[in-house]
Amino acid sequence: MAQLDQELKEAIDKYVGADVVNDDIKEVTFKKVLAALDAKQVELLDIVLHLEKALNDPVNPTGRRHAIQLLAECLRDAAALKLNFKHVETFANFFCSKLGDWQCVEGAVGGILVLLRRHGALVRTLRRVGENGNEEPIVLHLARTIFKEVHTPSHTQAVRKMVLDTACLLMDEWHDEVGQLGAALGEGINAAIEEERDPRNLLVSFTVSRKAMADFPDTCVSSETLVLLFETLTSYFPITFTPPKGDKIGITGEDLRRGLSMALCATPRLAQYVTPFLLDACKDLEADSDDTVAQGLETLSFCLESYGPNIAQSYLKDILETSRDQVCRTATTCRTDFCKLVTSSLQTSLKKVPAGLHPSWLSKDVGPALKEIAKDAARGQTSLASDGARSLLLAAAASHSVILERVWAEVVPLLLVKPEGSGDSVPAALPKDAFSFVLELVQLVKPGVLAGKSLKPALAGAMEALCSIRPGAAPVDETIDGEEVDKDK
């Protein structure tokens, strides 16, 4: 052990004793300390001994905070500092012992993070006697103590970020050790991300939440904690963040939305909470803006694809009913977004269905909804619901050939109407306003998808309607009370 010279002692004491450590004090102190460490005139443990009184002074919280910050920053910045396994073990236990002191948390977590990043190979070899009397990896002790002792939301942005970065590093590099925490892992992650509002920290919060649910056994996130994580994560929806003018951080609203979506789709266990929540958020009475609706629909589509075909199929009925309700019965401006959800959810549900096979659940979960939407589509120009219904049917038909067959079978017979008073020899005709809709349906048809007997009535109806057009005649409305009405009148 070396003796600190008087000049170095005075510099350290001035740093520790300052009410506020400004840049001048920090620069002078660190220049002297780091120079001594790099020149190997002293060891870091010598500085620890000199700081022992300040580190344990119960009546000087500021001194305790400055002392441990000094150690953590020396550990981080000393270029020539070499630690053996005994040094690493000593510092790991020392920093861990300070996690319960609120004033020391910044320095303690910072010191642990440096040890994990720079001396991970040595940390991996260290073990200690656990609370149950059995040996355990020291990193397990560090993780357990951080989650137990540190109340993350009560600290500054920088400290919260260090805690989250440490948790992320532990889950990535010490997966098996951290997994031994069991349910305490999920509880610790949820406690760490609560009330977070800083975009820099939110990105990491979404990441650690996703890792806890996706990368570890279900036992690490109990059912109760899963609900708490869902509630915490959805408290950030919708994300409306816009970077301030002159922003230098580089985080966008899209980055945050992507991170939240990844967290919400981390495990199929979340589907029972996330899907109803997002569907409700997209309803006109719940949503406060079109952006909320669009964001909710995009997130739901993303999540259903991750949850897989079985879960997507189980929510098809709700999705189709909600989409019909919003597109056909309200003046929503998000019709395109609802149509995209209908297409993607059906595609996901039918992902593992072989071509030509009609799964039994179609008749129960999809058939009735398509039948009702087809009725709306056949109402024509006299109904406000018709245009939206046709958009939904086209979206459904675009998802899969099996759905296209069902859409065609449901809607085309309803569109074909015989003129009043016509005989049996006169074929049913398509309403003129349905031409473009049927044409778009036909364009979705691939060879062999629809049988000739399905196509012939529609083609005959189209021909009959075309033949009934009188070029140069005054345009007329569809019949009202059985009589044609001149539009110009």
Side-chain angles (χ1 to χ4, degrees):
M1 301 296 286
Q3 191 74 24
L4 275 64
D5 64 40
Q6 190 61 33
E7 184 180 3
L8 188 56
K9 288 180 181 180
E10 290 176 357
I12 293 173
D13 292 342
K14 184 177 181 180
Y15 180 96
V16 173
D19 292 331
V20 177
V21 176
N22 57 38
D23 291 340
D24 291 338
I25 295 176
K26 182 177 289 189
E27 182 180 356
V28 170
T29 304
F30 278 107
K31 185 176 181 179
K32 292 179 179 179
V33 173
L34 293 177
L37 288 170
D38 289 340
K40 299 184 180 180
Q41 297 171 356
V42 296
E43 295 184 7
L44 192 55
L45 289 177
D46 298 326
I47 298 175
V48 173
L49 291 176
H50 179 72
L51 291 172
E52 184 176 6
K53 182 179 179 181
L55 287 166
N56 295 291
D57 189 344
V59 298
N60 186 6
T62 302
R64 296 199 306 274
R65 182 173 73 252
H66 291 169
I68 198 165
Q69 284 177 340
L70 177 63
L71 288 176
E73 293 186 35
C74 287
L75 192 63
R76 183 192 66 197
D77 295 336
L81 191 63
K82 302 295 182 182
L83 300 181
N84 58 34
F85 79 94
K86 193 61 181 177
H87 293 145
V88 172
E89 182 180 35
T90 300
F91 279 115
N93 285 320
F94 168 72
F95 287 129
C96 193
S97 70
K98 296 298 181 180
L99 290 170
D101 184 343
W102 192 91
Q103 296 289 344
C104 293
V105 166
E106 179 176 2
V109 175
I112 290 171
L113 189 54
V114 171
L115 291 175
L116 294 175
R117 284 174 171 169
R118 295 192 176 180
H119 306 282
L122 289 176
V123 173
R124 203 175 296 278
T125 66
L126 301 176
R127 302 182 68 82
R128 67 184 298 278
V129 178
E131 296 175 354
N132 58 5
N134 297 326
E135 272 199 351
E136 65 179 18
I138 197 169
V139 76
L140 175 59
H141 174 62
L142 294 174
R144 182 189 297 116
T145 308
I146 289 173
F147 288 140
K148 181 180 179 181
E149 299 290 347
V150 180
H151 183 242
T152 306
S154 67
H155 291 276
T156 63
Q157 180 273 327
V159 179
R160 300 197 306 272
K161 179 72 160 51
M162 278 197 294
V163 173
L164 294 168
D165 285 341
T166 302
C168 192
L169 181 62
L170 286 168
M171 287 192 282
D172 282 341
E173 300 297 329
W174 283 272
H175 177 277
D176 293 345
E177 291 86 347
V178 172
Q180 296 178 45
L181 288 172
L185 173 60
E187 293 167 2
I189 293 298
N190 183 65
I193 70 172
E194 279 185 324
E195 304 173 24
E196 186 56 68
R197 287 293 180 267
D198 188 280
R200 293 165 291 184
N201 294 1
L202 277 177
L203 278 181
V204 190
S205 296
F206 296 152
T207 298
V208 295
S209 299
R210 176 183 59 78
K211 289 179 182 293
M213 293 184 284
D215 298 345
F216 291 85
D218 291 351
T219 52
C220 289
V221 181
S222 67
S223 298
E224 294 79 7
T225 302
L226 186 73
V227 174
L228 293 175
L229 278 169
F230 159 74
E231 292 174 347
T232 300
L233 290 170
T234 51
S235 70
Y236 300 112
F237 179 88
I239 290 177
T240 57
F241 173 75
T242 301
K245 188 176 181 179
D247 174 63
K248 297 181 180 179
I249 298 174
I251 296 174
T252 65
E254 182 57 36
D255 293 332
L256 294 172
R257 286 187 284 273
R258 175 75 176 180
L260 178 59
S261 296
M262 292 290 288
L264 290 175
C265 72
T267 171
R269 297 169 66 202
L270 278 173
Q272 61 181 312
Y273 308 110
V274 171
T275 306
F277 170 82
L278 291 175
L279 280 176
D280 284 343
C282 297
K283 294 177 180 176
D284 61 321
L285 294 178
E286 300 292 336
D288 55 3
S289 70
D290 291 345
D291 184 65
T292 298
V293 175
Q295 193 176 144
L297 294 170
E298 183 180 4
T299 302
L300 179 55
S301 179
F302 184 86
C303 288
L304 288 174
E305 185 174 359
S306 296
Y307 295 152
N310 292 337
I311 289 177
Q313 175 258 308
S314 68
Y315 286 102
L316 281 178
K317 182 179 178 181
D318 295 331
I319 290 170
L320 291 171
E321 288 179 354
T322 300
S323 298
R324 180 194 175 206
D325 185 58
Q326 297 301 301
V327 173
C328 300
R329 297 175 183 172
T330 74
T332 180
T333 58
C334 298
R335 178 190 298 182
T336 301
D337 300 292
F338 278 103
C339 289
K340 287 180 180 178
L341 174 64
V342 168
T343 302
S344 65
S345 59
L346 285 167
Q347 285 176 336
T348 299
S349 301
L350 290 161
K351 189 169 289 185
K352 295 183 179 180
V353 176
L357 182 66
H358 292 241
S360 59
W361 51 262
L362 276 179
S363 298
K364 175 172 65 75
D365 298 328
V366 178
L370 290 181
K371 186 183 293 289
E372 294 302 315
I373 298 174
K375 290 178 183 178
D376 289 335
R379 297 183 192 279
Q381 292 177 332
T382 59
S383 171
L384 295 175
S386 178
D387 195 36
R390 292 176 184 182
S391 296
L392 289 176
L393 289 177
L394 287 169
S399 67
H400 197 279
S401 59
V402 168
I403 304 297
L404 174 57
E405 288 183 63
R406 284 189 170 258
V407 169
W408 186 276
E410 292 291 351
V411 73
V412 170
L414 295 178
L415 291 172
L416 293 171
V417 181
K418 281 196 172 190
E420 288 190 18
S422 62
D424 294 339
S425 61
V426 178
L430 279 175
K432 298 180 184 66
D433 72 284
F435 270 27
S436 61
F437 167 63
V438 174
L439 179 60
E440 287 185 72
L441 268 183
V442 170
Q443 289 174 332
L444 294 173
V445 177
K446 295 179 181 179
V449 171
L450 292 178
K453 64 179 181 179
S454 297
L455 288 170
K456 285 180 180 178
L459 293 174
M463 288 300 298
E464 182 65 22
L466 287 170
C467 291
S468 69
I469 295 175
R470 293 170 291 170
V476 295
D477 281 331
E478 300 294 335
T479 60
I480 298 178
D481 294 332
E483 298 183 0
E484 289 187 339
V485 179
D486 192 329
K487 288 182 178 177
D488 293 334
K489 296 181 180 178

